[in-house]
Amino acid sequence: MPYGGLVTSYTDITERVLAEEALARANENLEQRVRDRTEELTKVNEQLEAAKKTAELAYQDKTRFLASASHDILQPLNAARLYSSTLTDRFTDGDPEDRKLVSNIEASLESVEEIIGAVLDISRLDTRAFKPEISTFRLDDILNPLRVEFTPIAKEKGLKLKIRSTDVCVRSDRRLLRRLLQNLISNGLKYSTKGGVVVGVRKTKNNMANIEVYDSGIGIPEKQQELIFKEFRRLDDGARIASGLGLGLSIVERISKVLGLNVALKSQDGKGSRFSVAIKEAMSVPVAEKQAQPRAIVSQLAGLNVLAIDNEPQILEGMESLLRTWKCNVVTAPNAQEAAKVIYSSKTQPDIILADYHLDQGTGIEAVVHLRWKFGVHFPAMLITADRTAEVRAEATDKDMEMIHKPLKPAVLRAHLMRCKAALGES
């Protein structure tokens, strides 16, 4: 102070020191808890990653199993279809009871084929590695074949089917979009007892178009509309009207997710349903020239030289029986080497080769390539396989081979053979 003396002040910092010590201890505890929690999360993430890898491996194993099993299942089914088709052709003018029995066999085989195909489709669509094949095309390119496919089915049930033509072009996976619409149309016809199904395309804003499928079926109550897209879910009324497993709309939902499309449903109980698929329009593409399709008259296949290659004796026997019913000249072989011997011994070159993909020695594609090289002739060839992968399809296309999936539909085979015979006539 100016006149001497000292003034001091004291502050009790006990609480502050205690608070700082408590904060330090809390920080230490927090850091320890963070380290402990981080270690726990790291372990959990490692466990989740391991579980994810295990699940992915299991899924891949399941996919491989289904692919392998489908081939093994479809082989005898394919043989059965060939035999039943042979019987159908032979009993055309026979006893009505015999024709009915054969017809029932055909219907049963078609049901099995439909179930297996649906299960395989679901398996493929659920595979993350599955990639759609995107291209630009006219909607009429898939609507016109659907009209041809379902018109006889509608007539048989006494229903009307109207698929309106359109000039709309889209960019999507042609095959998957066709399957989606195929299931919607099939579903509409299946659950309609009167009236029918109408399919049309309506343009909307922002270059969008709605592909709409109307049916006059039993309708779907609002509370149950979400359930119908689940596997094996069928409404009681629907189950009474038509048989099935309830997989059609489940496949529709999966395809829509793969293609990034929105499928909307509007329906009232007892008043039919409307399924609408919203899709973006694309640049116009030219209309493909229509090729005249030869009429499927069995006698017109008379004299066609066919070489069938398959490692399954039952398949070869069934194929030979069916083709001989169509008046074709048939030779068979289990592989390319035996096929070459058969061609030499018969002294007749085939007009077309029908080859299975999976052979004991190599593939059907390799067999065809070998025979073309050996004889110096570019034989027309058709690959018959249960393998639906894009790789096999691309390989067949690259080797100028058409492809048909098992189980073989005789009408499809006959149409291909008719085109081959017509091409031979022109040349």
Side-chain angles (χ1 to χ4, degrees), residues 33-47:
R33 287 201 300 269
V34 169
R35 285 194 294 269
D36 293 342
R37 186 58 177 163
T38 302
E39 290 179 3
E40 292 177 4
L41 289 175
T42 301
K43 290 181 180 178
V44 171
N45 287 334
E46 290 175 352
Q47 292 172 353

Side-chain angles (χ1 to χ4, degrees), residues 224-290:
Q224 297 179 313
Q225 290 181 7
E226 291 185 3
L227 297 177
I228 63 172
F229 291 98
K230 304 299 181 183
E231 300 95 333
F232 305 107
R233 293 294 184 91
R234 305 182 68 216
L235 305 184
D236 292 338
D237 291 341
R240 284 192 289 268
I241 291 176
S243 60
L245 292 177
L247 293 175
L249 293 180
S250 176
I251 294 174
V252 166
E253 184 185 40
R254 282 168 164 81
I255 293 176
S256 67
K257 288 181 179 179
V258 170
L259 298 181
L261 302 176
N262 179 46
V263 179
L265 168 62
K266 186 176 181 181
S267 181
Q268 287 185 332
D269 191 11
K271 295 186 178 180
S273 305
R274 184 201 70 180
F275 289 88
S276 179
V277 183
I279 189 168
K280 191 173 182 62
E281 288 192 62
M283 296 288 291
S284 297
V285 295
V287 180
E289 294 184 6
K290 294 183 179 179

Side-chain angles (χ1 to χ4, degrees), residues 177-344:
L177 184 59
R178 183 185 187 279
R179 185 61 188 268
L180 185 151
L181 296 176
Q182 184 182 43
N183 282 12
L184 291 179
I185 296 171
S186 175
N187 198 70
L189 292 173
K190 182 182 292 185
Y191 296 109
S192 296
T193 57
K194 60 181 180 179
V197 173
V198 177
V199 181
V201 180
R202 180 168 56 87
K203 296 183 180 181
T204 60
K205 298 179 180 179
N206 301 322
N207 293 324
M208 296 294 292
N210 283 340
I211 309 172
E212 299 177 338
V213 180
Y214 295 83
D215 68 65
S216 57
I218 58 176
I220 306 163
E222 186 175 353
K223 293 181 179 179
Q224 297 179 313
Q225 290 181 7
E226 291 185 3
L227 297 177
I228 63 172
F229 291 98
K230 304 299 181 183
E231 300 95 333
F232 305 107
R233 293 294 184 91
R234 305 182 68 216
L235 305 184
D236 292 338
D237 291 341
R240 284 192 289 268
I241 291 176
S243 60
L245 292 177
L247 293 175
L249 293 180
S250 176
I251 294 174
V252 166
E253 184 185 40
R254 282 168 164 81
I255 293 176
S256 67
K257 288 181 179 179
V258 170
L259 298 181
L261 302 176
N262 179 46
V263 179
L265 168 62
K266 186 176 181 181
S267 181
Q268 287 185 332
D269 191 11
K271 295 186 178 180
S273 305
R274 184 201 70 180
F275 289 88
S276 179
V277 183
I279 189 168
K280 191 173 182 62
E281 288 192 62
M283 296 288 291
S284 297
V285 295
V287 180
E289 294 184 6
K290 294 183 179 179
Q291 299 180 350
Q293 298 293 328
R295 294 178 60 195
I297 301 175
V298 171
S299 60
Q300 289 185 356
L301 292 176
L304 185 68
N305 298 317
V306 182
L307 166 61
I309 303 175
D310 200 303
N311 60 329
E312 294 286 344
Q314 285 186 328
I315 299 289
L316 286 179
E317 186 178 344
M319 181 69 76
E320 184 175 5
S321 297
L322 180 63
L323 293 174
R324 291 196 185 282
T325 300
W326 295 345
K327 309 301 181 185
C328 296
N329 300 321
V330 190
V331 291
T332 63
N335 52 54
Q337 290 72 26
E338 293 299 321
K341 293 178 182 178
V342 168
I343 294 174
Y344 278 124

Side-chain angles (χ1 to χ4, degrees), residues 338-368:
E338 293 299 321
K341 293 178 182 178
V342 168
I343 294 174
Y344 278 124
S345 61
S346 67
K347 298 181 181 180
T348 302
Q349 291 187 352
D351 296 321
I352 187 170
I353 300 174
L354 307 180
D356 183 36
Y357 181 69
H358 293 283
L359 301 176
D360 292 335
Q361 302 175 15
T363 68
I365 295 177
E366 293 169 349
V368 170

Side-chain angles (χ1 to χ4, degrees), residues 45 66 78 93 103 110 114 165 170 198 238 265 277 302 314 391:
N45 287 334
L66 284 174
N78 188 49
D93 300 320
S103 177
E110 287 177 4
E114 181 180 352
S165 298
V170 298
V198 177
L265 168 62
V277 183
Q314 285 186 328
E391 291 79 11

